[in-house]
Amino acid sequence: MRRTSILHVDMDAFFVSVELRSRPDLRGKPVIVGFPAERSVVLSASYEARATGVKSAMPMAIAMRMCPAAIIIEPRHKLYYQVSGQIMNIFSSITDLVEPLSVDEAFLDVKGAIRRLGSPLDIGHMIRARVQSELGITASVGIAGTKFVAKIASTRCKPDGILQIDAEDTLSYLHSLPVNALWGVGGRTGEVLARLGIRTVADVAATPVASLKKVLGAAGEHVHRLSLGIDPRPVTPTRLEKSIGAEETFSTDTTDPALLNRELLRLSHRTATRLRSSDMLARTIALKLRYADFSTVTRSRTLHTPVDSAQLIYEVAVGLLESLGPRAQSVRLVGVRAEQLEPTARTSMQLSLDGRDDNWRAAEQALDRVAERFGSKTLLPAALLERARQAEDQ
């Protein structure tokens, strides 16, 4: 059992599943979480929508053509992060060895919990039952001796399933799979390998490393090791998000500086709200701009004192925007990201002499309390009211 103690736990259509808890009438129907704007992308899709070809990150316009009957639900990111925290708390109650990969999936090494909780398969069943009973959503669990194989197993048993690949069965299982099951083998790499007659994981394992390196470069050796089930990486506990941010794609490319500044303010409030709800502070603020030709630039600034205030994040973001100088072309997307995060409880806040920074924090914390009780759109900064009115008119 200790040779097969790594679990990959992945929620099923996470954003959609969270939304369906309050809208059970939509169960069994094609549902997409995302903004209905033409140039937005699919954030999550129910399995009924996926059956028509809809995928995450697909442009919304394409998704709607593929699945015109889909029901669109606008995302509630704060709610998703709250549920994510509850998921991670369940994992942490099982083992200290938890490595989150995103808001809805993680690796767990349960070797140290076997004597207390039973076999890895028993623990996998227990996790799925707790996620279902406590959170009202479903999870799929892959169990194996390595992270790579555990993730393959969870993918292959979706949705709402569990699959254990015992150590002695690893090679026979891997070699029955198509080559694109290997990490790093996407569509283009798969085409290159197919031209050499390599279509399965077994074909990769039978190919000399030197031949793979000729066509894949340094990645050839990595792919070959995976085809033999070799993945020595341990489950590495990470408890802090690396960054928190938000971005927006405009419905029409823009050169309007007032519109860019207003969007930066809105994104700064979204980012700061998530920082405070996660009890985190950021030492670095980054700006992202994507132009009409899809070229992307980023700029960042590290602060002397960590922040979680939207106004302070906004001031840094505007300064970064101005540092770019005149824009040669219109802007398609703008984003704000908070980086170098640290827990509020372990960080000493430096108070400003004039109290301005502290006043902003106090005011925004009051907004958090109002939003928690009455909804996020109850109070808005005055500069964002025009955008809110336009959204209501539409």
Side-chain angles (χ1 to χ4, degrees):
M1 289 190 293
R2 295 179 185 276
R3 294 175 61 201
T4 311
S5 64
I6 294 179
L7 277 60
H8 179 256
V9 187
D10 193 7
M11 304 304 114
D12 301 315
F14 179 51
F15 292 177
V16 169
S17 296
V18 172
E19 294 293 347
L20 294 187
R21 298 188 309 177
S22 57
R23 301 190 62 180
D25 56 300
L26 298 183
R27 295 189 186 279
K29 297 180 180 180
V31 176
I32 295 174
V33 171
F35 291 102
E38 181 180 353
R39 300 208 300 183
S40 295
V41 299
V42 174
L43 298 181
S44 181
S46 69
Y47 287 91
E48 292 78 11
R50 295 184 191 191
T52 68
V54 175
K55 299 178 181 178
S56 295
M58 173 182 286
M60 187 66 77
I62 295 177
M64 290 304 299
R65 286 199 296 271
M66 298 182 74
C67 187
I71 299 157
I72 309 299
I73 299 177
E74 292 195 3
R76 295 186 288 174
H77 291 285
K78 183 176 180 179
L79 173 61
Y80 306 147
Y81 276 88
Q82 289 173 344
V83 178
S84 174
Q86 295 170 322
I87 293 168
M88 298 305 162
N89 286 339
I90 291 175
F91 295 165
S92 298
S93 71
I94 304 295
T95 174
D96 291 333
L97 298 177
V98 179
E99 182 180 339
L101 297 182
S102 66
V103 295
D104 69 329
E105 63 175 318
F107 287 116
L108 289 72
D109 189 333
V110 299
K111 189 185 288 99
I114 290 174
R115 180 176 297 178
R116 176 169 55 95
L117 298 175
S119 71
L121 186 61
D122 292 336
I123 294 172
H125 281 299
M126 181 180 66
I127 290 174
R128 293 180 64 244
R130 286 189 60 185
V131 169
Q132 173 70 59
S133 63
E134 296 176 25
L135 305 181
I137 59 180
T138 61
S140 296
V141 178
I143 308 169
T146 65
K147 292 162 72 172
F148 161 60
V149 179
K151 185 164 175 58
I152 285 181
S154 70
T155 300
R156 296 277 160 171
C157 69
K158 276 186 165 292
D160 194 19
I162 187 167
L163 176 61
Q164 176 171 308
I165 308 299
D166 292 324
E168 60 271 21
D169 298 327
T170 295
L171 279 184
S172 59
Y173 179 76
L174 281 178
H175 290 181
S176 70
L177 302 177
V179 69
N180 61 9
L182 296 174
W183 279 350
V185 179
R188 185 172 300 177
T189 304
E191 292 173 3
V192 171
L193 293 175
R195 287 197 289 270
L196 298 177
I198 300 172
R199 293 181 171 82
T200 67
V201 176
D203 292 337
V204 176
T207 303
V209 174
S211 299
L212 292 172
K213 292 178 74 171
K214 282 183 181 180
V215 293
L216 301 181
E221 184 173 357
H222 170 70
V223 169
H224 190 263
R225 287 171 62 85
L226 291 182
S227 74
L228 298 176
I230 300 173
D231 179 16
R233 298 169 306 150
V235 173
T236 305
T238 54
R239 301 189 181 279
L240 303 181
E241 291 187 81
K242 295 180 179 179
S243 65
I244 287 175
E247 58 186 40
E248 181 69 23
T249 300
F250 295 110
S251 56
T252 303
D253 297 344
T254 183
T255 58
D256 183 357
L259 177 58
L260 287 173
N261 284 354
R262 190 162 62 245
E263 192 61 35
L264 285 178
L265 179 60
R266 189 176 73 87
L267 297 175
S268 295
H269 271 276
R270 283 177 55 186
T271 300
T273 298
R274 283 182 52 196
L275 280 171
R276 292 191 297 271
S277 66
S278 302
D279 292 322
M280 304 294 287
L281 297 162
R283 285 194 177 272
T284 297
I285 304 301
L287 169 76
K288 175 181 176 181
L289 279 189
R290 180 166 294 151
Y291 293 110
D293 66 353
F294 286 87
S295 61
T296 303
V297 296
T298 59
R299 295 290 186 272
S300 64
R301 177 184 162 196
T302 299
L303 311 174
H304 293 298
T305 303
V307 299
D308 63 2
S309 161
Q311 183 63 29
L312 301 180
I313 292 172
Y314 170 67
E315 290 174 4
V316 175
V318 169
L320 292 170
L321 180 64
E322 292 174 349
S323 72
L324 293 173
R327 284 172 287 282
Q329 54 182 309
S330 56
V331 175
R332 174 185 178 86
L333 173 149
V334 64
V336 173
R337 185 155 292 277
E339 301 173 342
Q340 285 191 276
L341 306 186
E342 50 194 67
T344 303
R346 296 212 303 261
T347 305
S348 57
M349 296 285 290
Q350 179 178 338
L351 302 180
S352 60
L353 293 177
D354 61 5
R356 185 179 64 92
D357 296 355
D358 310 317
N359 290 340
W360 279 118
R361 289 190 80 248
E364 291 172 22
Q365 287 170 345
L367 285 177
D368 291 342
R369 292 191 291 272
V370 172
E372 184 175 349
R373 183 171 181 182
F374 299 106
S376 60
K377 295 182 180 180
T378 305
L379 288 177
L380 292 171
L384 298 180
L385 288 176
E386 179 181 346
R387 178 185 174 94
R389 291 193 192 99
Q390 289 174 349
E392 289 177 357
D393 293 340
Q394 294 172 356

